[in-house]
Amino acid sequence: MNFPLLLFVSLFCSLTWTQDYDSNPETGTIETQSCFPDMCNLLKEFGAMREKLGAMETRLRDSESQILELKGKENNTVVFSVANGGNGAVGPFDAHTTLIYRTVMTNIGNAYSPVTGIFAAPTAGIYYFTFYYHAGGDHPVNLSLFKNNEVVVGTSDHRSLNDGADNGGNAVFVQLQKGDQVFVRLHANTHVWGDDYSTTFSGFLVNQV
Ligand SMILES: *[C@@H]1O[C@H](CO)[C@@H](O)[C@H](O)[C@H]1NC(C)=O
Ligand SMILES: *[C@@H]1O[C@H](CO)[C@@H](O)[C@H](O)[C@H]1NC(C)=O
């Protein structure tokens, strides 16, 4: 029983007919015998109920903060789909080149930069990436999906004179830490076709970890 309740009990009991002048209203001390037994039991029960109510309030507050936390996670949508843009071959170049996909179709969360071609994970989690290409058959194609400095997956095609064009791609689930960078590199002396819909790079956050 906490102090205000004790005070309430003492006040209530002193109002009953069997007033006990020994009880001290200043300190709130009380003798249980001084009030009607029924009334005192009622007050005890009331005290127990208040305690239960207090515990329930605490649990409710915990649940509320958990819901808010989940809502925050829910809100963390990261999705992008971009295409090379332009209208012609990209490459071949003498050196490895990060492909910059300039045509942005979707970029929720702005984690992909159409200026650098780099996707930077805004949050730790499992991400899914795809990259498809279209290319003329007169040069080889070799694209790699990088996570920071390491190649995760690639797609390539040899030079051939008997097919006019090639299409290929790859996809992968990658676990990223916040700030990890993912991008597609066009290897030296290879090429792809650039337009608004053929050579694309997409990704999304599957789940926060
Ligand atoms: C999601 O984020 C937006 C903008 O940051 C905010 O206005 C909105 O209340 C959030 N929604 C939830 C369910 O938290
Ligand atoms: C593509 O480039 C990677 C990395 O440089 C290399 O290991 C691989 O052999 C290349 N593939 C082809 C088909 O040239």
Side-chain angles (χ1 to χ4, degrees), residues 57-68:
E57 268 174 19
T58 309
R59 276 165 60 186
L60 197 65
R61 262 198 300 275
D62 286 352
S63 304
E64 266 173 4
S65 60
Q66 271 171 4
I67 287 167
L68 282 177

Side-chain angles (χ1 to χ4, degrees), residues 68 71-72 74-75:
L68 282 177
K71 267 189 183 167
E74 224 171 66
N75 227 6

Side-chain angles (χ1 to χ4, degrees), residues 108-130:
I108 297 166
N110 275 313
Y112 170 81
S113 164
V115 176
T116 62
I118 294 171
F119 170 88
T123 175
I126 306 287
Y127 290 79
Y128 184 70
F129 295 98
T130 68

Side-chain angles (χ1 to χ4, degrees), residues 87-131:
N87 184 25
V90 179
F93 304 118
D94 291 340
H96 301 330
T97 308
T98 299
L99 270 186
I100 299 174
Y101 298 81
R102 292 196 168 85
T103 301
V104 174
M105 291 170 270
T106 312
N107 195 11
I108 297 166
N110 275 313
Y112 170 81
S113 164
V115 176
T116 62
I118 294 171
F119 170 88
T123 175
I126 306 287
Y127 290 79
Y128 184 70
F129 295 98
T130 68
F131 57 116

Side-chain angles (χ1 to χ4, degrees), residues 121-196:
T123 175
I126 306 287
Y127 290 79
Y128 184 70
F129 295 98
T130 68
F131 57 116
Y132 289 94
Y133 73 83
H134 173 76
D138 50 343
H139 288 283
V141 178
N142 193 353
L143 297 176
S144 299
L145 182 102
F146 274 73
K147 170 186 165 182
N148 301 323
N149 297 321
E150 68 188 66
V151 175
V152 185
V153 285
T155 181
S156 60
D157 196 87
H158 297 288
R159 176 172 187 252
S160 58
L161 297 174
N162 40 16
D163 64 346
D166 305 303
N167 293 281
N170 212 334
V172 67
F173 289 97
V174 195
Q175 183 165 358
L176 301 179
Q177 298 307 314
K178 185 177 178 175
D180 277 348
Q181 299 194 333
V182 174
F183 54 91
V184 177
R185 181 164 283 175
L186 179 71
H187 287 277
N189 305 314
T190 72
H191 76 160
V192 291
W193 187 260
D195 62 26
D196 287 343

